[in-house]
């Protein structure tokens, strides 16, 4: 029998904006998750958004009701009147935004919020942070243009200190332009005409917006690199406005016990000796805490907290001469779902942090030890959940380009796309920003630059460039795509059942996608008709039986060469009905106890 995963809570839809009572509710023309019923403008993603660099006493969350307006793309002046309220951080096309309207390349999406800055933020510099805005945005504070950013999946910050005026109220306006599939930018599965495996566009603010107060000289980011072979953590920090003689003091803690500390001059790397480290793995996701301080003449002028794990990912031959992925010098078979991170109510944005964590917990419940995050980058808290719950992550680069590669082969040179110089520049910039942003999350063990030839170009060059930028992880250069002798992994896709139709004796061989067993369930569908899976069944028992049959086949392939397998997929997504769960997360579509049992057997096939 299919079980309900979460009980539906009561609807709370009244809130306020700028001090006046306002009615807000999700747009209800589509299915919603249980968490959507609990969202209000006062509680929308209130959690601290940056787990790898925390200053919890000096920040202010700006999520909630903002004003919005959709104008012609050529409007560059801040509007004088607004169309209504939008709930940030949900994209304008989403139900939880309260708007659910499309925007095109011919439109500009404007936001406006009049805020009062907390008194605790009135010292030093005030930074305005954005978790993610899709795609290009201009930021204005009190009518003054303070910054511009391009990139739909990477966080960014603007120093707004000089634009803040005396008095209680500050006026923030944001202009967003997002061409979706009419532009060359990375976008993942978004398309202007959603159908089949292509989904609804996501435009504008879709992650947390927040303020932070920092001193002039402050920590911008940290970089943690575990060296398991030498029981050392390599550490460095990027500082803003450092002065000669400034130092970094970093302390490592196991719970409340200090286990190591080191000092370094600003801008230099240091090392912390971690004696007898407990290594991170899916079975034992051990995390250590960090305290980072900037010292000037012995006085602390800035400090923040972070964390790290000791783990190692590598490739070497097993006793039978098969190239395998090793975690902490032990063979660990990677087995997990293709996880697209889409939500019927929030699109790219989970309705709550609880919901964001839910998918990771359900993955572990099914006996998996890995997730392939499919052509999307999640909010930072998702990676923290993977770190603490214990899930290996393969991180895809979101695909995208504006050339009609599926209709016209003239854009290809051999098997690779001929990108424009602008498109290539955008790709390289955002992929680097994504890798830098996610570098210190220990759960991430594989970078995936390309998927199935979607925008694939200069494969060998991009793979080597990726490896040079981060040599601590494995590179899966083209998951199911045009295969070149580069990177660490040969990745095959095969639907519906598993098959090893290629094998690489020099690299790790994996099955990057298979399965896609469909089960449409009335009352839990994005649309009534035109739903699909690679094959379809009528009930959970039939789906579980088919899944188990495929998993039994996998045990043979593990022994003959596969080192990892990815099943499609975690949940249904829009017209796709091939998830372990329905798109609204209300129904498990397989017997998860049976799934856990066979998954565990596959993972342990060589033990």
């Amino acid at each position: 029998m299919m079980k309900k995963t979460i009980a539906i809570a009561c609807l709370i839809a009244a809130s306020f904006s700028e001090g006046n009572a306002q009615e807000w509710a999700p747009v209800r023309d589509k299915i919603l998750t249980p968490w959507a019923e609990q969202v209000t403008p006062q509680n929308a993603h209130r959690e601290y958004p940056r787990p790898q660099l925390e200053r919890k006493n000096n920040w202010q969350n700006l999520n909630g009701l903002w004003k919005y307006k959709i104008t012609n793309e050529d409007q560059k002046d801040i509007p004088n009147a607004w169309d209504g309220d939008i709930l940030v951080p949900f994209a304008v096309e989403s139900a939880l935004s309260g708007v659910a309207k499309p925007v095109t390349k011919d439109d500009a999406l404007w936001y406006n919020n009049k805020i009062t800055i907390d008194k605790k933020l009135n010292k030093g510099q005030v930074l305005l942070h954005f978790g993610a805005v899709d795609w290009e945005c201009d930021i204005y504070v009190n009518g003054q243009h303070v910054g511009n950013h391009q990139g739909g999946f990477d966080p960014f910050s603007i120093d707004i200190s000089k634009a803040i005026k005396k008095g209680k109220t500050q006026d923030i306006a944001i202009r967003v332009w997002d061409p979706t599939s009419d532009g060359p930018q990375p976008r993942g599965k978004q398309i202007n005409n959603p159908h089949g495996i292509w989904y609804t566009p996501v435009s504008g603010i879709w992650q947390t917006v927040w303020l932070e107060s920092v001193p002039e000289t402050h920590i911008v980011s940290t970089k943690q690199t575990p060296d398991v072979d030498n029981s050392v953590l390599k550490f460095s920090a990027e500082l803003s406005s450092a002065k000669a003689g400034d130092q970094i003091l970093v302390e490592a803690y196991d719970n409340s016990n200090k286990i190591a500390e080191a000092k370094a001059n600003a801008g230099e790397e240091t090392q912390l000796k971690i004696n007898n480290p407990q290594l991170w793995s899916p079975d034992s996701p051990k995390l250590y805490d960090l305290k980072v301080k900037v010292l000037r003449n012995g006085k602390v002028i800035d400090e923040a907290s972070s964390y790290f794990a000791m783990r190692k990912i590598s490739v070497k031959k097993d006793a039978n001469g098969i190239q395998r992925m090793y975690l902490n010098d032990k063979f660990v078979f990677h087995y997990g779902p293709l996880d697209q991170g889409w939500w019927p109510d929030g699109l790219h944005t989970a309705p709550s942090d609880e919901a964001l964590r839910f998918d990771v917990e359900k993955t572990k419940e099914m006996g998996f030890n890995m997730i392939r995050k499919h052509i999307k980058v999640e909010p930072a808290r998702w990676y923290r959940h993977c770190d603490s719950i214990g899930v290996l992550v393969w991180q895809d680069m979101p695909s995208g380009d504006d050339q009609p590669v599926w209709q016209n082969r003239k854009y290809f040179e051999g098997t690779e796309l001929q990108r424009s110089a602008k498109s290539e520049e955008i790709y390289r910039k955002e992929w680097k920003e994504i890798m830098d942003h996610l570098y210190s999350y220990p759960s991430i063990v594989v970078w995936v630059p390309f998927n199935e030839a979607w925008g694939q170009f200069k494969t060998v060059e991009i793979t080597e460039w990726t490896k040079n930028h981060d040599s601590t992880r494995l590179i899966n250069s083209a998951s199911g795509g045009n295969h070149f002798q580069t990177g660490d992994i040969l990745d095959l896709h095969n639907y519906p059942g598993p098959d090893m139709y290629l094998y690489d004796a020099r690299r790790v061989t994996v099955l990057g996608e298979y399965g896609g067993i469909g089960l449409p369930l009335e009352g839990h569908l994005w649309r009534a008709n035109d739903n699909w899976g690679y094959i379809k069944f009528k009930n959970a028992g039939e789906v579980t039986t088919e899944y188990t049959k495929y998993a039994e086949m996998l045990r043979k392939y593990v022994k003959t060469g596969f080192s990892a397998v990815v099943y499609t997929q975690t949940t249904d997504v829009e017209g796709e009905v091939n998830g372990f769960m329905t798109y609204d997360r209300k129904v498990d579509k397989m017997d998860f106890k049976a799934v856990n049992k066979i998954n565990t057997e596959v993972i342990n096939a060589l033990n």
Side-chain angles (χ1 to χ4, degrees), residues 502-521:
L502 291 175
Y503 173 78
D504 193 331
R506 292 176 291 179
R507 295 181 294 168
V508 175
T509 303
V510 309
L511 184 62
E513 291 182 28
Y514 87 104
I517 304 170
L519 175 61
L521 293 178

Side-chain angles (χ1 to χ4, degrees), residues 562-591:
F562 275 150
S563 291
V565 171
V566 178
Y567 178 85
T568 302
Q569 58 186 329
T570 306
T571 72
D572 295 349
V573 184
E574 298 205 357
E576 298 180 25
V577 292
N578 48 18
F580 285 108
M581 296 178 285
T582 54
Y583 195 18
D584 57 14
R585 275 74 165 177
K586 292 179 180 178
V587 181
D588 297 341
K589 299 203 295 179
M590 296 189 201
D591 178 347

Side-chain angles (χ1 to χ4, degrees), residues 30-161:
K30 302 287 186 181
I31 56 175
L32 303 174
T33 65
W35 301 278
E37 309 292 354
Q38 303 168 1
V39 172
T40 72
Q42 292 95 341
N43 70 13
H45 287 281
R46 307 307 296 177
E47 301 81 13
Y48 190 87
R50 191 182 57 195
Q52 275 286 0
L53 185 66
E54 293 189 349
R55 294 187 190 89
K56 286 190 173 181
N57 295 324
N58 297 302
W59 78 292
Q60 180 179 344
N61 195 313
L62 298 184
N63 292 342
L65 289 180
W66 291 49
K67 299 296 183 184
Y68 85 96
K69 188 176 183 65
I70 299 172
T71 70
N72 291 331
E73 187 275 332
D74 58 5
Q75 179 165 331
K76 309 298 182 182
D77 296 328
I78 300 171
N80 295 318
W82 301 93
D83 292 343
D85 290 332
I86 184 170
L87 182 55
V88 170
F90 300 104
V92 67
E93 297 93 344
S94 72
L96 282 174
S97 72
V99 178
K101 293 180 180 179
V103 297
T104 72
K105 65 180 177 63
D106 298 319
D107 300 321
L109 171 62
W110 289 86
Y111 294 81
N112 180 251
N113 196 3
K114 295 178 173 58
I115 66 166
T116 299
I117 298 179
D118 289 347
K119 292 182 179 179
K120 63 183 179 182
L121 271 68
N122 62 2
K123 295 181 180 179
Q125 296 179 348
V126 177
L127 305 180
L128 177 59
H129 294 281
F130 296 86
V133 181
D134 197 354
W135 174 71
E136 180 177 21
C137 69
D138 288 275
I139 301 98
Y140 301 83
V141 176
N142 297 318
Q144 178 179 336
H145 185 262
V146 294
N148 170 275
H149 179 264
Q150 291 183 343
F153 296 93
D154 57 314
F156 62 98
S157 305
I158 306 289
D159 181 0
I160 65 170
S161 306

Side-chain angles (χ1 to χ4, degrees), residues 336-337 339 360 363 369-373 382 386 391-394:
D339 189 320
V360 182
T363 299
N369 62 5
M370 177 266 275
I371 290 171
R372 180 182 168 203
K373 179 51 62 177
W382 185 86
C386 292
V391 178
L392 299 162
V393 174
W394 294 14

Side-chain angles (χ1 to χ4, degrees), residues 322-324 331 333 490 492 498-503 508-512 554 556-565 606:
I322 298 173
Q323 293 281 12
R324 302 287 194 184
F331 172 59
F333 184 81
L490 170 66
L492 312 178
D499 188 21
M500 186 186 294
Y501 53 87
L502 291 175
Y503 173 78
V508 175
T509 303
V510 309
L511 184 62
L554 283 175
K556 174 188 71 174
Y557 289 124
V558 174
K559 295 176 182 178
T560 57
F562 275 150
S563 291
V565 171
L606 292 186

Side-chain angles (χ1 to χ4, degrees), residues 189-295:
K189 284 286 195 81
Q190 304 174 60
I191 193 169
N192 288 325
N193 177 30
H195 61 277
I197 64 171
W198 309 103
Y199 312 144
T200 303
V202 174
S203 301
I205 298 169
W206 67 274
Q207 289 187 32
T208 293
V209 184
W210 54 295
L211 293 174
E212 181 182 33
S213 176
V214 295
E216 179 183 5
T217 301
H218 61 272
I219 305 160
V220 176
S221 63
T222 64
K223 186 175 183 179
Q224 289 88 259
T225 307
D227 181 350
V228 168
D229 292 340
N230 296 299
S231 298
V232 161
L233 177 73
K234 299 177 182 178
F235 178 90
S236 61
E238 179 188 352
L239 301 185
S240 175
S241 303
K243 296 183 179 181
D246 287 351
Q247 292 183 308
I248 290 288
L249 171 65
V250 56
E251 302 168 327
Y253 289 82
D254 184 356
N255 295 318
S256 58
N257 300 315
K258 185 191 292 188
I259 59 172
E261 73 172 37
K263 277 185 181 180
N265 292 326
E268 295 181 356
E269 182 180 86
T270 188
Q271 297 186 358
L272 290 85
K273 182 68 174 178
I274 310 298
N275 294 317
N276 302 313
Q278 184 177 338
L279 303 184
W280 184 97
S281 72
D283 293 332
S284 179
K286 174 63 177 178
L287 300 177
Y288 294 93
D289 295 320
L290 286 174
K291 291 183 180 180
V292 186
K293 301 174 182 179
V294 181
L295 305 180

